[in-house]
Amino acid sequence: MIDEQYKKRIEQNHKDLLGVLQHYPVEPGKITLLPSRGGRSKWLIETDKGNMFLRLETINPKRMLFIAGAHWYLQQKGFPIAKLIPTRNGGLCLSGGNHIYLMTEANEGKGVQYYEREEIMKTMAFIGAFHKASVGYSPVKGSKRRTRIGKWKKLYQWKIQELESNMKLAMAADANDPFSQLFIEHADQMLKRGKEALKELDQPAFSDWTRETMESGMFCQQDFTMARMIMKDNQVFMKDLHSITIDLPARDLRILMNKVMKKLSVWDRDLAYDMLQAYDQVFPLKKEYYQVLLTDLKFPHLFCGLAHKYYLEQKKSWGDEKYLMYLRNIIAVEQSKQAFLTDFDQLISRVKGGVS
């Protein structure tokens, strides 16, 4: 009986999917459901016009229109991103109640590696090209913008307050809780850096860059990760665009640099310099704007983020050993980062070649 119900559900889902595909200018053949996560479904569709991906997202339709509009904007400017396929009526995405469908061309290529120096440099240049191409974006009518710009102080304050609360939890924890014991050893230093970073947001460069970014219309990817990119024709290529936000480019730079160094378990000063140089050669930033990046790198985002997961028990599948392993890794990265933060002005002068 259960097998029969499952069979009927699969048949109905297939029928519904064919109904969705009727809205696109393709003739579908074989349809394969692909593994996915995060409330999304994704199918590989073999069509008369080549292989396509069809994504289903559970998201506010107006928000998805904002993202799809950005995808289309980048595509029209020749940016290396998977081609978005409009519906037969010219829509950038297809609304189905509380769900949204998007179709893109399927592209093949090898994954971009965190441990390959040349690919890291190409990724940084790619991010520079992404930010440069995003300038001038005007969201389509009816879309809903997502923005984090102008909210940095509030975010820092919230993370500092949570860090202080987690410090209290750690001090009250059982003596047999090795995570809390190690966490509390380093929390004061991380809290100090967080408060210093919060004060630095009062610098004129932060407000100047905020105003300039808002006027330019540019956006950030929000969470640059190499999992969303492939190497195609020996160049970095974006497979899809899941999310964007209006924010300073520093956000994307900080997130990817932290990801790379966390993979290495140490903050490689020379690698960090080369990464920033690769970015600046494509999308040059003013010297004073790099000071804003310094502030965001100084703030202990990784340390706060892991404590947030641990004390709220967000990762049910993680055991104590895994949490402890990640904490040791983050401490090693943050401690080795200090020399980079200290020498940052000198490094940026080298990146800029003496030009402001």
Side-chain angles (χ1 to χ4, degrees):
M1 182 66 177
I2 294 178
D3 289 344
E4 187 63 28
Q5 289 178 345
Y6 178 75
K7 182 179 178 181
K8 287 182 179 179
R9 188 164 67 248
I10 292 297
E11 290 175 348
Q12 183 61 48
N13 288 342
H14 186 76
K15 183 179 178 181
D16 292 343
L17 194 59
L18 289 176
V20 170
L21 291 172
Q22 288 179 358
H23 293 276
Y24 286 95
V26 298
E27 292 298 327
K30 183 180 178 181
I31 301 174
T32 305
L33 178 63
L34 302 175
S36 61
R37 61 182 181 177
R40 304 182 179 100
S41 295
K42 188 176 183 179
W43 296 267
L44 174 64
I45 316 290
E46 297 180 11
T47 81
D48 59 324
K49 296 181 180 178
N51 291 344
M52 305 288 177
F53 286 132
L54 182 71
R55 270 176 31 218
L56 180 150
E57 306 251 5
T58 303
I59 188 174
N60 183 316
K62 292 183 178 181
R63 183 81 74 196
M64 193 69 247
L65 188 57
F66 174 61
I67 298 169
H71 189 140
W72 185 253
Y73 183 73
L74 293 174
Q75 181 175 321
Q76 295 301 102
K77 297 185 79 170
F79 187 76
I81 188 171
K83 185 179 179 182
L84 182 66
I85 309 299
T87 66
R88 293 182 187 275
N89 294 329
L92 298 180
C93 48
L94 184 66
S95 177
N98 294 325
H99 299 76
I100 292 290
Y101 294 91
L102 295 96
M103 180 176 284
T104 58
E105 285 187 345
N107 292 272
E108 296 183 356
K110 82 175 191 70
V112 183
Q113 303 300 312
Y114 282 99
Y115 301 102
E116 292 289 340
R117 192 180 189 91
E118 182 181 355
E119 293 184 11
I120 293 173
M121 297 309 135
K122 288 183 177 181
T123 301
M124 290 298 288
F126 180 88
I127 295 176
F130 181 94
H131 292 155
K132 186 175 183 179
S134 75
V135 173
Y137 174 52
S138 178
V140 296
K141 185 178 181 181
S143 64
K144 185 177 182 180
R145 298 199 325 163
R146 181 171 187 174
T147 178
R148 290 179 180 269
I149 202 163
K151 300 178 181 178
W152 282 36
K153 281 189 178 181
K154 185 176 181 180
L155 176 64
Y156 279 23
Q157 289 168 345
W158 179 83
K159 287 190 175 185
I160 287 172
Q161 289 172 1
E162 185 183 50
L163 178 56
E164 291 173 329
S165 296
N166 287 334
M167 289 171 68
K168 293 178 182 178
L169 292 175
M171 287 186 285
D174 190 282
N176 294 322
D177 179 0
F179 182 95
S180 290
Q181 298 302 313
L182 183 59
F183 171 79
I184 206 65
E185 285 181 26
H186 299 274
D188 281 334
Q189 180 189 8
M190 294 297 100
L191 181 61
K192 179 182 178 183
R193 276 202 354 211
K195 289 183 176 180
E196 287 175 356
L198 177 60
K199 289 181 180 179
E200 290 175 10
L201 293 184
D202 290 328
Q203 60 185 302
F206 178 70
S207 56
D208 290 346
W209 200 7
T210 296
R211 182 176 60 255
E212 182 179 303
T213 299
M214 293 178 67
E215 292 173 352
S216 74
M218 71 175 299
F219 51 80
C220 289
Q221 199 279 332
Q222 185 169 310
D223 185 17
F224 251 109
T225 171
M226 292 182 177
R228 295 198 177 101
M229 295 175 278
I230 58 174
M231 295 299 295
K232 184 178 178 182
D233 300 326
N234 203 34
Q235 297 298 324
V236 177
F237 184 89
M238 183 171 277
K239 296 188 295 184
D240 47 44
L241 189 65
H242 277 297
S243 185
I244 63 164
T245 187
I246 306 299
D247 204 350
L248 303 181
R251 175 185 174 87
D252 284 341
L253 296 177
R254 180 261 298 174
I255 287 175
L256 187 68
M257 293 181 77
N258 273 346
K259 283 181 183 291
V260 169
M261 302 306 174
K262 191 168 64 169
K263 295 285 185 182
L264 299 176
S265 299
V266 66
W267 191 274
D268 187 324
R269 180 177 177 275
D270 292 334
L271 177 61
Y273 162 75
D274 290 341
M275 290 174 71
L276 292 177
Q277 187 175 55
Y279 175 86
D280 197 80
Q281 288 175 349
V282 178
F283 191 57
L285 299 180
K286 296 177 182 178
K287 262 188 179 181
E288 55 266 33
Y289 291 174
Y290 276 112
Q291 292 300 318
V292 178
L293 173 61
L294 170 64
T295 294
D296 208 27
L297 289 171
K298 178 182 292 186
F299 194 92
H301 291 284
L302 295 176
F303 190 81
C304 291
L306 184 62
H308 175 83
K309 291 184 178 70
Y310 183 78
Y311 290 108
L312 288 182
E313 299 180 351
Q314 285 192 330
K315 295 290 186 180
K316 302 295 184 182
S317 61
W318 287 14
D320 292 343
E321 285 300 318
K322 190 167 186 177
Y323 269 114
L324 190 58
M325 177 187 70
Y326 277 114
L327 180 58
R328 287 171 176 158
N329 174 273
I330 286 172
I331 290 171
V333 171
E334 291 293 357
Q335 287 184 329
S336 56
K337 184 193 288 184
Q338 189 58 51
F340 170 81
L341 298 176
T342 301
D343 297 339
F344 190 80
D345 287 347
Q346 178 184 351
L347 291 172
I348 294 305
S349 293
R350 288 174 56 201
V351 168
K352 300 304 296 180
V355 178
S356 61

